[in-house]
Amino acid sequence: MYDQYYGFSGRPFQLTPDPDFYFESSSHKKAMSYLGYGLNQGEGFIVITGEVGAGKSTLVAHLMERIDLTALTVAQVVTSALDGEELIHVVAQAFGLEIEGHDKAGALGAIEEFLQEEARAGRRCLLVVDECQNLDLTALEELRMLSNFQLGAHPLLQSLLLGQPEFRRTLAQHPDLEQLRQRIIASHHLDALDADEVEDYVHHRLAHVSWDGRPLFEDGLLPALYGATDGIPRRVNQVMNRLLLLGAIEERDIVSTEMLDAVIAEMSADQSRGSRADPSPLSIEPEGAVPAQDQNIDSVPAKEVAALLAQRDERTAELEAAINELQAAGVSVATESKMPVEVDTALGRIEQRLEEQEQSFRHVLTMLIEWLEEDPSREAA
Protein backbone atom coordinates (compact mmCIF):
# COMPACT_ATOMS: atom_id res chain seq x y z
CA MET A 1 0.00 0.00 0.00
CA TYR A 2 2.53 2.62 1.08
CA ASP A 3 4.70 2.00 -1.98
CA GLN A 4 1.76 3.03 -4.19
CA TYR A 5 0.89 6.02 -2.02
CA TYR A 6 4.43 7.41 -2.12
CA GLY A 7 5.04 6.43 -5.74
CA PHE A 8 7.77 3.86 -5.05
CA SER A 9 8.64 1.32 -7.72
CA GLY A 10 8.76 -1.44 -5.09
CA ARG A 11 8.83 -2.13 -1.36
CA PRO A 12 12.15 -0.83 0.01
CA PHE A 13 12.07 -2.45 3.45
CA GLN A 14 10.94 -6.02 2.85
CA LEU A 15 12.19 -8.50 5.44
CA THR A 16 13.28 -11.28 3.07
CA PRO A 17 16.95 -11.11 1.98
CA ASP A 18 17.30 -9.40 -1.41
CA PRO A 19 20.76 -8.89 -2.94
CA ASP A 20 19.43 -5.95 -4.97
CA PHE A 21 19.19 -3.98 -1.72
CA TYR A 22 22.61 -5.02 -0.40
CA PHE A 23 24.14 -2.22 1.64
CA GLU A 24 27.86 -2.33 2.26
CA SER A 25 28.51 -1.07 5.75
CA SER A 26 32.09 -1.02 7.00
CA SER A 27 31.50 -4.39 8.68
CA HIS A 28 29.91 -5.92 5.56
CA LYS A 29 32.83 -4.69 3.48
CA LYS A 30 35.24 -6.49 5.80
CA ALA A 31 33.09 -9.61 5.65
CA MET A 32 33.22 -9.63 1.84
CA SER A 33 37.00 -9.30 2.00
CA TYR A 34 37.24 -12.29 4.32
CA LEU A 35 34.86 -14.27 2.12
CA GLY A 36 36.91 -13.47 -0.97
CA TYR A 37 40.11 -14.53 0.73
CA GLY A 38 38.55 -17.71 2.11
CA LEU A 39 37.01 -18.77 -1.19
CA ASN A 40 40.33 -18.29 -2.95
CA GLN A 41 41.86 -20.81 -0.54
CA GLY A 42 39.29 -23.41 -1.65
CA GLU A 43 39.36 -25.43 1.55
CA GLY A 44 38.47 -25.49 5.24
CA PHE A 45 35.83 -23.34 6.91
CA ILE A 46 34.79 -19.71 6.63
CA VAL A 47 32.77 -18.47 9.62
CA ILE A 48 30.47 -15.43 9.59
CA THR A 49 28.53 -14.58 12.74
CA GLY A 50 26.21 -11.75 13.69
CA GLU A 51 23.17 -10.81 15.71
CA VAL A 52 19.75 -11.91 14.51
CA GLY A 53 18.85 -9.66 11.58
CA ALA A 54 22.39 -8.34 11.06
CA GLY A 55 22.31 -9.27 7.37
CA LYS A 56 24.11 -12.62 7.12
CA SER A 57 21.66 -14.08 4.62
CA THR A 58 21.69 -10.91 2.50
CA LEU A 59 25.49 -11.04 2.53
CA VAL A 60 25.43 -14.61 1.20
CA ALA A 61 22.82 -13.71 -1.44
CA HIS A 62 25.09 -10.87 -2.57
CA LEU A 63 28.04 -13.25 -2.65
CA MET A 64 26.12 -15.72 -4.81
CA GLU A 65 25.56 -12.98 -7.37
CA ARG A 66 29.27 -12.24 -7.60
CA ILE A 67 30.74 -15.72 -7.94
CA ASP A 68 30.88 -17.87 -11.07
CA LEU A 69 28.28 -20.55 -10.45
CA THR A 70 29.49 -22.49 -13.49
CA ALA A 71 32.76 -23.12 -11.66
CA LEU A 72 31.35 -23.47 -8.15
CA THR A 73 28.57 -25.82 -7.08
CA VAL A 74 26.79 -24.42 -4.04
CA ALA A 75 24.47 -26.21 -1.62
CA GLN A 76 22.70 -24.24 1.08
CA VAL A 77 21.31 -25.64 4.32
CA VAL A 78 19.28 -23.84 6.99
CA THR A 79 19.59 -25.96 10.08
CA SER A 80 17.35 -26.81 12.96
CA ALA A 81 18.56 -28.87 15.90
CA LEU A 82 20.18 -31.62 13.82
CA ASP A 83 22.45 -34.36 15.06
CA GLY A 84 25.33 -35.77 13.01
CA GLU A 85 23.43 -38.42 11.07
CA GLU A 86 20.54 -36.08 10.27
CA LEU A 87 22.94 -33.44 9.00
CA ILE A 88 24.58 -35.89 6.57
CA HIS A 89 21.21 -36.65 4.96
CA VAL A 90 20.30 -32.95 4.81
CA VAL A 91 23.61 -32.16 3.08
CA ALA A 92 23.01 -34.95 0.57
CA GLN A 93 19.58 -33.53 -0.21
CA ALA A 94 21.03 -30.03 -0.56
CA PHE A 95 23.36 -31.30 -3.29
CA GLY A 96 20.40 -32.95 -5.00
CA LEU A 97 21.29 -36.52 -4.05
CA GLU A 98 18.57 -39.08 -3.43
CA ILE A 99 19.41 -41.46 -0.61
CA GLU A 100 17.20 -44.47 -0.01
CA GLY A 101 16.33 -45.04 3.61
CA HIS A 102 18.42 -43.51 6.39
CA ASP A 103 21.71 -45.25 5.80
CA LYS A 104 24.45 -42.87 6.95
CA ALA A 105 27.24 -44.82 5.25
CA GLY A 106 25.33 -44.79 1.99
CA ALA A 107 24.74 -41.05 2.26
CA LEU A 108 28.43 -40.37 2.94
CA GLY A 109 29.43 -42.55 -0.01
CA ALA A 110 27.02 -40.73 -2.32
CA ILE A 111 28.30 -37.31 -1.17
CA GLU A 112 31.94 -38.30 -1.71
CA GLU A 113 31.21 -39.70 -5.16
CA PHE A 114 29.34 -36.53 -6.11
CA LEU A 115 32.17 -34.29 -4.90
CA GLN A 116 34.72 -36.32 -6.87
CA GLU A 117 32.64 -36.06 -10.04
CA GLU A 118 32.39 -32.29 -9.62
CA ALA A 119 36.16 -32.02 -9.10
CA ARG A 120 36.88 -34.07 -12.24
CA ALA A 121 34.57 -31.72 -14.15
CA GLY A 122 36.60 -28.75 -12.89
CA ARG A 123 34.02 -27.50 -10.40
CA ARG A 124 34.60 -26.74 -6.73
CA CYS A 125 31.90 -27.37 -4.12
CA LEU A 126 30.78 -24.99 -1.39
CA LEU A 127 28.40 -25.90 1.43
CA VAL A 128 26.64 -22.94 3.08
CA VAL A 129 25.22 -23.84 6.50
CA ASP A 130 22.99 -21.22 8.12
CA GLU A 131 21.85 -21.03 11.76
CA CYS A 132 24.82 -23.13 12.91
CA GLN A 133 24.14 -22.30 16.55
CA ASN A 134 21.34 -24.88 16.34
CA LEU A 135 23.66 -27.75 15.42
CA ASP A 136 24.49 -30.58 17.78
CA LEU A 137 28.20 -31.11 18.49
CA THR A 138 28.01 -34.39 16.57
CA ALA A 139 26.75 -32.45 13.54
CA LEU A 140 29.70 -30.03 13.74
CA GLU A 141 32.02 -33.02 13.91
CA GLU A 142 30.39 -34.47 10.79
CA LEU A 143 31.00 -31.18 8.99
CA ARG A 144 34.66 -31.47 9.90
CA MET A 145 34.73 -35.04 8.62
CA LEU A 146 33.21 -33.94 5.32
CA SER A 147 36.09 -31.50 4.92
CA ASN A 148 38.44 -34.51 4.88
CA PHE A 149 37.20 -35.65 1.46
CA GLN A 150 39.98 -35.27 -1.10
CA LEU A 151 40.82 -36.25 -4.67
CA GLY A 152 44.55 -36.79 -4.47
CA ALA A 153 45.80 -33.73 -2.62
CA HIS A 154 42.83 -31.65 -3.76
CA PRO A 155 40.15 -30.78 -1.10
CA LEU A 156 36.68 -31.55 -2.38
CA LEU A 157 34.48 -29.45 -0.11
CA GLN A 158 34.66 -26.03 1.50
CA SER A 159 32.08 -24.85 4.03
CA LEU A 160 30.72 -21.42 4.90
CA LEU A 161 29.21 -21.44 8.40
CA LEU A 162 26.74 -18.73 9.43
CA GLY A 163 25.52 -18.32 12.98
CA GLN A 164 24.52 -16.10 15.84
CA PRO A 165 27.04 -14.85 18.45
CA GLU A 166 26.61 -17.95 20.62
CA PHE A 167 27.97 -20.07 17.77
CA ARG A 168 31.13 -17.97 17.76
CA ARG A 169 31.51 -18.53 21.50
CA THR A 170 30.95 -22.27 21.09
CA LEU A 171 33.64 -22.50 18.43
CA ALA A 172 36.10 -20.52 20.53
CA GLN A 173 35.56 -22.27 23.85
CA HIS A 174 34.35 -25.84 23.43
CA PRO A 175 37.20 -28.33 24.04
CA ASP A 176 35.79 -30.88 21.58
CA LEU A 177 35.99 -28.50 18.61
CA GLU A 178 39.75 -27.98 18.53
CA GLN A 179 40.18 -29.84 15.23
CA LEU A 180 37.42 -27.81 13.58
CA ARG A 181 38.94 -24.57 14.90
CA GLN A 182 42.24 -25.47 13.26
CA ARG A 183 40.51 -25.62 9.87
CA ILE A 184 38.91 -22.17 10.05
CA ILE A 185 40.79 -20.07 7.49
CA ALA A 186 38.68 -16.88 7.76
CA SER A 187 36.26 -15.55 10.34
CA HIS A 188 34.31 -12.33 10.82
CA HIS A 189 31.55 -11.01 13.09
CA LEU A 190 29.01 -8.70 11.46
CA ASP A 191 28.55 -5.60 13.59
CA ALA A 192 25.38 -3.52 13.69
CA LEU A 193 25.18 -0.30 11.68
CA ASP A 194 26.26 2.87 13.41
CA ALA A 195 24.07 5.99 13.49
CA ASP A 196 25.46 7.43 10.25
CA GLU A 197 25.16 4.07 8.50
CA VAL A 198 21.50 3.73 9.52
CA GLU A 199 20.78 7.04 7.78
CA ASP A 200 22.74 5.94 4.70
CA TYR A 201 21.02 2.53 4.80
CA VAL A 202 17.54 4.06 4.77
CA HIS A 203 18.41 6.42 1.91
CA HIS A 204 20.14 3.59 0.01
CA ARG A 205 17.07 1.34 0.08
CA LEU A 206 14.71 4.18 -0.78
CA ALA A 207 16.89 5.18 -3.73
CA HIS A 208 16.42 1.67 -5.16
CA VAL A 209 12.66 2.22 -5.40
CA SER A 210 12.80 5.66 -7.05
CA TRP A 211 12.26 7.74 -3.92
CA ASP A 212 11.87 11.39 -4.96
CA GLY A 213 12.04 12.94 -1.50
CA ARG A 214 8.46 12.09 -0.58
CA PRO A 215 7.94 11.47 2.24
CA LEU A 216 10.34 13.79 3.96
CA PHE A 217 11.85 12.78 7.29
CA GLU A 218 11.65 15.17 10.21
CA ASP A 219 14.98 16.27 11.69
CA GLY A 220 15.98 13.83 14.39
CA LEU A 221 13.88 10.96 13.04
CA LEU A 222 16.71 8.82 11.67
CA PRO A 223 18.90 9.22 14.78
CA ALA A 224 15.83 8.19 16.82
CA LEU A 225 15.37 5.23 14.47
CA TYR A 226 18.94 4.15 15.22
CA GLY A 227 18.22 4.37 18.95
CA ALA A 228 15.07 2.28 18.59
CA THR A 229 16.68 -0.46 16.48
CA ASP A 230 20.28 -0.55 17.75
CA GLY A 231 21.37 -0.42 14.11
CA ILE A 232 20.22 -3.98 13.30
CA PRO A 233 19.20 -3.90 9.61
CA ARG A 234 16.15 -6.14 9.92
CA ARG A 235 14.87 -4.14 12.87
CA VAL A 236 15.29 -1.00 10.79
CA ASN A 237 13.25 -2.67 8.03
CA GLN A 238 10.51 -3.69 10.44
CA VAL A 239 10.13 -0.22 11.90
CA MET A 240 10.39 1.58 8.55
CA ASN A 241 7.70 -0.68 7.07
CA ARG A 242 5.32 0.20 9.90
CA LEU A 243 6.30 3.87 9.80
CA LEU A 244 5.68 4.27 6.07
CA LEU A 245 2.46 2.30 6.34
CA LEU A 246 1.27 4.66 9.06
CA GLY A 247 2.27 7.60 6.88
CA ALA A 248 0.21 6.25 4.00
CA ILE A 249 -2.81 5.51 6.20
CA GLU A 250 -2.75 9.02 7.66
CA GLU A 251 -1.73 10.61 4.33
CA ARG A 252 1.40 12.20 5.74
CA ASP A 253 4.10 13.68 3.51
CA ILE A 254 6.41 14.27 6.47
CA VAL A 255 7.33 11.37 8.76
CA SER A 256 7.81 12.61 12.32
CA THR A 257 9.43 11.34 15.49
CA GLU A 258 5.95 11.38 17.04
CA MET A 259 4.88 8.83 14.42
CA LEU A 260 7.97 6.76 15.20
CA ASP A 261 7.03 6.72 18.89
CA ALA A 262 3.52 5.56 17.97
CA VAL A 263 4.91 2.75 15.78
CA ILE A 264 7.29 1.55 18.50
CA ALA A 265 4.43 1.55 21.00
CA GLU A 266 2.24 -0.48 18.61
CA MET A 267 5.02 -2.99 17.95
CA SER A 268 5.62 -3.32 21.67
CA ALA A 269 1.90 -3.97 22.21
CA ASP A 270 1.87 -6.56 19.40
CA GLN A 271 4.85 -8.34 20.92
CA SER A 272 3.23 -8.34 24.35
CA ARG A 273 0.11 -9.94 22.92
CA GLY A 274 2.23 -12.57 21.17
CA SER A 275 4.50 -13.46 24.08
CA ARG A 276 4.12 -12.21 27.63
CA ALA A 277 7.51 -13.72 28.44
CA ASP A 278 9.42 -11.40 26.09
CA PRO A 279 8.89 -7.70 26.80
CA SER A 280 11.25 -6.55 24.04
CA PRO A 281 9.40 -4.22 21.65
CA LEU A 282 11.52 -5.31 18.73
CA SER A 283 12.18 -8.98 19.33
CA ILE A 284 13.30 -10.49 16.04
CA GLU A 285 12.95 -14.07 14.83
CA PRO A 286 15.95 -15.99 13.44
CA GLU A 287 16.66 -15.46 9.76
CA GLY A 288 14.57 -17.76 7.65
CA ALA A 289 12.11 -18.43 10.47
CA VAL A 290 8.40 -17.64 10.20
CA PRO A 291 7.64 -14.60 12.38
CA ALA A 292 5.33 -15.39 15.29
CA GLN A 293 2.68 -13.00 14.05
CA ASP A 294 2.68 -14.74 10.65
CA GLN A 295 2.21 -18.28 11.94
CA ASN A 296 -1.29 -19.59 11.09
CA ILE A 297 -1.62 -16.40 9.07
CA ASP A 298 -4.80 -17.51 7.35
CA SER A 299 -6.79 -17.77 10.58
CA VAL A 300 -5.33 -15.43 13.19
CA PRO A 301 -5.64 -12.05 11.38
CA ALA A 302 -9.26 -12.65 10.39
CA LYS A 303 -10.21 -13.47 13.98
CA GLU A 304 -8.33 -10.49 15.41
CA VAL A 305 -9.76 -8.11 12.82
CA ALA A 306 -13.29 -9.34 13.50
CA ALA A 307 -12.81 -8.95 17.25
CA LEU A 308 -11.41 -5.44 16.95
CA LEU A 309 -14.16 -4.36 14.55
CA ALA A 310 -16.77 -5.71 16.97
CA GLN A 311 -15.05 -3.78 19.76
CA ARG A 312 -15.17 -0.64 17.62
CA ASP A 313 -18.90 -1.07 16.92
CA GLU A 314 -19.57 -1.59 20.63
CA ARG A 315 -17.69 1.59 21.54
CA THR A 316 -19.47 3.51 18.79
CA ALA A 317 -22.83 2.43 20.20
CA GLU A 318 -21.76 3.51 23.68
CA LEU A 319 -20.67 6.92 22.39
CA GLU A 320 -23.90 7.44 20.51
CA ALA A 321 -25.89 6.56 23.61
CA ALA A 322 -23.85 8.98 25.74
CA ILE A 323 -24.27 11.78 23.22
CA ASN A 324 -28.04 11.16 23.05
CA GLU A 325 -28.23 11.37 26.84
CA LEU A 326 -26.39 14.69 26.82
CA GLN A 327 -28.62 16.05 24.07
CA ALA A 328 -31.71 14.93 25.99
CA ALA A 329 -30.39 16.85 28.98
CA GLY A 330 -30.11 19.97 26.82
CA VAL A 331 -26.34 20.14 26.89
CA SER A 332 -24.60 21.97 24.04
CA VAL A 333 -20.96 22.26 23.21
CA ALA A 334 -21.44 26.01 23.10
CA THR A 335 -22.24 26.02 26.84
CA GLU A 336 -19.17 24.01 27.78
CA SER A 337 -17.93 26.65 30.22
CA LYS A 338 -21.20 26.34 32.16
CA MET A 339 -21.28 22.55 32.25
CA PRO A 340 -21.58 20.82 35.61
CA VAL A 341 -18.65 18.66 36.65
CA GLU A 342 -20.59 15.47 35.85
CA VAL A 343 -21.18 16.52 32.24
CA ASP A 344 -17.59 17.65 31.82
CA THR A 345 -16.41 14.26 33.13
CA ALA A 346 -18.76 12.45 30.74
CA LEU A 347 -17.42 14.40 27.77
CA GLY A 348 -13.89 13.58 28.89
CA ARG A 349 -14.76 9.91 28.85
CA ILE A 350 -16.27 10.27 25.38
CA GLU A 351 -13.14 11.95 24.06
CA GLN A 352 -10.97 9.23 25.56
CA ARG A 353 -13.12 6.53 23.99
CA LEU A 354 -13.00 8.27 20.61
CA GLU A 355 -9.22 8.32 20.80
CA GLU A 356 -9.12 4.62 21.77
CA GLN A 357 -11.48 3.84 18.91
CA GLU A 358 -9.25 5.66 16.44
CA GLN A 359 -6.17 3.78 17.67
CA SER A 360 -7.99 0.44 17.46
CA PHE A 361 -9.23 1.16 13.96
CA ARG A 362 -5.76 2.22 12.82
CA HIS A 363 -4.33 -0.98 14.30
CA VAL A 364 -6.98 -3.07 12.52
CA LEU A 365 -6.22 -1.36 9.23
CA THR A 366 -2.46 -1.85 9.66
CA MET A 367 -2.90 -5.55 10.42
CA LEU A 368 -5.24 -6.03 7.47
CA ILE A 369 -2.91 -4.31 5.01
CA GLU A 370 0.12 -6.26 6.24
CA TRP A 371 -1.83 -9.51 5.99
CA LEU A 372 -2.99 -8.76 2.43
CA GLU A 373 0.48 -7.73 1.27
CA GLU A 374 2.23 -10.70 2.91
CA ASP A 375 1.08 -13.08 0.17
CA PRO A 376 0.97 -12.04 -3.53
CA SER A 377 -2.09 -14.29 -4.00
CA ARG A 378 -4.07 -11.88 -1.80
CA GLU A 379 -3.41 -8.84 -4.00
CA ALA A 380 -6.84 -9.13 -5.63
CA ALA A 381 -8.47 -8.72 -2.21
Side-chain angles (χ1 to χ4, degrees):
M1 174 185 172
Y2 72 75
D3 50 322
Q4 297 174 355
Y5 178 76
Y6 290 119
F8 298 158
S9 59
R11 298 189 66 183
F13 297 103
Q14 57 190 349
L15 301 182
T16 53
D18 187 339
D20 291 340
F21 288 92
Y22 174 74
F23 175 76
E24 192 166 71
S25 68
S26 59
S27 186
H28 282 75
K29 186 174 183 178
K30 290 178 183 178
M32 285 302 299
S33 297
Y34 281 109
L35 284 170
Y37 167 78
L39 289 175
N40 284 334
Q41 302 305 304
E43 62 178 339
F45 295 90
I46 307 168
V47 177
I48 302 293
T49 57
E51 296 289 344
V52 176
K56 300 182 292 294
S57 296
T58 303
L59 180 73
V60 172
H62 178 65
L63 175 68
M64 293 300 106
E65 286 202 332
R66 298 185 60 180
I67 61 180
D68 182 4
L69 293 178
T70 63
L72 186 67
T73 299
V74 181
Q76 298 192 49
V77 172
V78 178
T79 67
S80 56
L82 301 176
D83 62 24
E85 184 169 347
E86 291 169 334
L87 178 70
I88 292 300
H89 286 280
V90 170
V91 170
Q93 292 173 3
F95 278 116
L97 306 176
E98 293 186 6
I99 310 298
E100 294 184 3
H102 292 280
D103 177 30
K104 177 182 174 182
L108 284 170
I111 292 173
E112 183 175 17
E113 182 180 355
F114 172 79
L115 296 177
Q116 289 178 350
E117 289 175 354
E118 292 295 289
R120 292 189 182 98
R123 291 188 292 271
R124 295 164 49 200
C125 290
L126 175 68
L127 175 64
V128 180
V129 185
D130 203 351
E131 303 296 341
C132 285
Q133 73 280 349
N134 294 330
L135 289 175
D136 189 279
L137 285 175
T138 60
L140 292 174
E141 177 62 14
E142 291 295 346
L143 285 176
R144 184 189 69 81
M145 295 299 292
L146 288 176
S147 71
N148 287 335
F149 287 150
Q150 291 182 298
L151 185 60
H154 179 70
L156 295 178
L157 180 65
Q158 185 175 35
S159 296
L160 169 57
L161 308 183
L162 308 174
Q164 296 173 25
E166 55 264 36
F167 176 60
R168 188 178 190 86
R169 292 191 292 269
T170 299
L171 283 178
Q173 300 171 8
H174 203 285
D176 295 338
L177 297 177
E178 177 60 29
Q179 292 188 69
L180 193 152
R181 281 195 292 271
Q182 292 176 2
R183 299 194 182 191
I184 296 175
I185 59 175
S187 177
H188 180 69
H189 182 77
L190 277 178
D191 295 321
L193 308 177
D194 62 28
D196 290 336
E197 287 175 332
V198 165
E199 183 171 351
D200 292 340
Y201 175 82
V202 170
H203 290 157
H204 167 79
R205 295 188 74 104
L206 286 169
H208 275 268
V209 294
S210 306
W211 178 53
D212 61 2
R214 176 177 175 267
L216 295 172
F217 298 114
E218 183 180 81
D219 289 343
L221 173 74
L222 294 180
L225 176 65
Y226 167 73
T229 62
D230 295 326
I232 301 296
R234 196 190 306 165
R235 296 183 188 178
V236 174
N237 288 2
Q238 285 183 319
V239 175
M240 285 301 300
N241 262 328
R242 286 286 190 102
L243 197 53
L244 292 174
L245 181 56
L246 176 60
I249 290 173
E250 297 191 347
E251 300 183 348
R252 302 283 192 94
D253 286 340
I254 298 178
V255 179
S256 67
T257 52
E258 182 181 357
M259 293 168 64
L260 176 63
D261 292 339
V263 164
I264 296 300
E266 276 191 5
M267 293 178 72
S268 179
D270 289 346
Q271 186 64 35
S272 297
R273 279 190 291 269
S275 174
R276 297 294 181 184
D278 183 1
S280 170
L282 293 175
S283 179
I284 311 297
E285 295 83 3
E287 296 190 25
V290 179
Q293 65 267 28
D294 291 342
Q295 295 175 3
N296 300 321
I297 192 74
D298 292 322
S299 60
V300 174
K303 292 179 181 177
E304 292 193 15
V305 168
L308 287 170
L309 287 175
Q311 189 179 69
R312 181 203 64 179
D313 293 341
E314 182 181 349
R315 286 178 176 168
T316 300
E318 290 178 2
L319 293 174
E320 289 176 348
I323 291 171
N324 290 335
E325 288 179 9
L326 291 175
Q327 289 176 340
V331 177
S332 168
V333 175
T335 62
E336 182 177 354
S337 60
K338 302 177 182 179
M339 290 180 187
V341 174
E342 293 81 0
V343 174
D344 192 32
T345 302
L347 283 178
R349 287 199 302 269
I350 291 175
E351 290 175 356
Q352 182 179 358
R353 288 181 181 179
L354 282 172
E355 184 176 350
E356 291 173 353
Q357 178 184 346
E358 181 181 353
Q359 291 176 350
S360 296
F361 184 73
R362 187 177 71 187
H363 185 62
V364 169
L365 187 57
T366 300
M367 288 176 55
L368 187 58
I369 292 170
E370 288 182 339
W371 179 71
L372 290 172
E373 292 185 342
E374 188 69 29
D375 187 341
S377 66
R378 303 183 182 121
E379 287 183 359

